[in-house]
Amino acid sequence: MIFIVVKFKVKPDWSERWLGLVQEFMQATRQEPGNLWFDWSRSVEDPNEFVLVEAFKDDAAGDHVNSAHFKQAMADMPQALAETPRIISRQLDGEGWDRMGELTIA
């Protein structure tokens, strides 16, 4: 799978509107056949930083970045961003989350 984490630093006046701005993008991406997950979180230390954790089956990431909703999101997002997003994108074995061996809940 392709595992991606992106940190988005938004302008302060967009921090309460960010999730609304990306709502359609999120919904459309989650419906893509190769999407495994597409989840937003907000930093507990910086209310202007949002973190996107997403994953795709190996052959689906190309379709994602070529989709109309991805292109629209890339056009919509800059107005709200304070800086260029930071990204980690890696190909990993597997197709989902593993259980944490160091902390097992019965």
Side-chain angles (χ1 to χ4, degrees), residues 7-23 25 40 42 46-50 72-85:
K7 289 187 173 191
F8 294 85
K9 183 81 157 200
V10 302
K11 296 173 184 172
D13 60 320
W14 275 93
S15 63
E16 297 306 319
R17 299 184 287 159
W18 176 255
L19 293 176
L21 179 68
V22 299
Q23 181 69 26
F25 175 48
W40 288 98
R42 192 173 193 175
D46 182 351
N48 299 318
E49 183 176 79
F50 291 83
Q72 185 62 54
M74 296 306 103
D76 292 343
M77 288 180 180
Q79 66 183 320
L81 294 174
E83 62 185 42
T84 301

Side-chain angles (χ1 to χ4, degrees), residues 19-59:
L19 293 176
L21 179 68
V22 299
Q23 181 69 26
E24 288 182 28
F25 175 48
M26 176 182 65
Q27 289 175 340
T29 301
R30 286 179 173 172
Q31 293 175 12
E32 292 176 20
N35 179 255
L36 298 172
W37 61 81
F38 194 87
D39 298 323
W40 288 98
S41 297
R42 192 173 193 175
S43 171
V44 296
E45 296 174 354
D46 182 351
N48 299 318
E49 183 176 79
F50 291 83
V51 180
L52 175 60
V53 179
E54 56 186 308
F56 297 89
K57 293 181 180 177
D58 290 346
D59 56 351

Side-chain angles (χ1 to χ4, degrees), residues 55-91:
F56 297 89
K57 293 181 180 177
D58 290 346
D59 56 351
D63 291 340
H64 172 63
V65 298
N66 290 311
S67 69
H69 56 270
F70 182 89
K71 291 176 184 174
Q72 185 62 54
M74 296 306 103
D76 292 343
M77 288 180 180
Q79 66 183 320
L81 294 174
E83 62 185 42
T84 301
R86 293 170 287 147
I87 187 170
I88 297 172
S89 178
R90 300 289 184 270
Q91 187 161 5

